Amino acid sequence: MSDWKQMPQESGIYLIRNTVTKKVYVGSAICLRKRALEHRRLLRAGQHKNPILQASWSKHGEAAFTIEVLETCGSHDAALLVAEQKHLDALSKNFSLYNVCPIAGTRRGAKMPADAIERIAALKRGKKLPPRGPVTSEVREKIAA
């Protein structure tokens, strides 16, 4: 399906495919149409959070991408994530994926660039963490100070 506006307003699992490279992105959404249009808007603006997908979109252009429904399912988040993981696992055997996380719904397993790790570490250096244990009024005062 190349017309992203034709996606159904149901919950389900979708696939964004680059017809040139055959690489795919798998995702889940409560409303497939809304999520598809959000992806397209961010990609067109060069602001998509997935840098690999964004770079490919920028290189090959919008015409090289299609979107399709893999499965419709209940709107329960857990059911969506289970279904998304099933498709991620199956598709990763035959296709190269744009997904940066191998686990649906988490950032677990995503590789972070070294410069991003350093920026986060620099922000945390010198900061004292609040003490562990119950949050008493004394602890709250220390945190406030």
Side-chain angles (χ1 to χ4, degrees):
M1 174 184 303
S2 58
D3 186 358
W4 296 47
K5 293 179 185 175
Q6 297 301 315
M7 291 289 283
Q9 292 191 31
E10 299 174 62
S11 299
I13 312 306
Y14 61 91
L15 177 120
I16 299 173
R17 181 187 312 271
N18 182 326
T19 59
V20 175
T21 66
K22 308 302 183 218
K23 202 167 181 178
V24 297
Y25 176 87
V26 179
S28 61
I30 298 290
C31 177
L32 290 165
R33 182 180 304 161
K34 182 178 177 183
R35 185 65 178 125
L37 294 176
E38 181 181 11
H39 274 297
R40 189 179 66 172
R41 179 184 60 79
L42 291 169
L43 288 163
R44 283 177 169 175
Q47 298 176 341
H48 201 279
K49 291 190 192 291
N50 183 319
I52 303 164
L53 180 59
Q54 182 65 62
S56 186
W57 178 281
S58 298
K59 178 179 180 179
H60 298 286
E62 182 173 343
F65 288 83
T66 61
I67 189 163
E68 59 196 77
V69 177
L70 294 177
E71 176 181 348
T72 58
C73 46
S75 62
H76 191 272
D77 288 341
L80 283 172
L81 292 179
V82 168
E84 180 182 353
Q85 189 64 54
K86 175 185 75 174
H87 288 286
L88 276 169
D89 293 343
L91 288 165
S92 67
K93 294 175 185 171
N94 299 315
F95 293 95
S96 181
L97 300 177
Y98 286 115
N99 297 66
V100 294
C101 302
I103 301 170
T106 72
R107 294 277 307 151
R108 192 174 306 136
K111 294 189 175 25
M112 191 178 291
D115 62 322
I117 294 170
E118 179 53 37
R119 284 194 311 269
I120 292 168
L123 289 171
K124 292 184 176 184
R125 281 189 203 111
K127 291 187 178 180
K128 292 186 179 180
L129 298 175
R132 292 183 174 223
V135 180
T136 63
S137 58
E138 181 181 317
V139 171
R140 283 191 181 100
E141 289 173 16
K142 287 182 181 179
I143 292 171

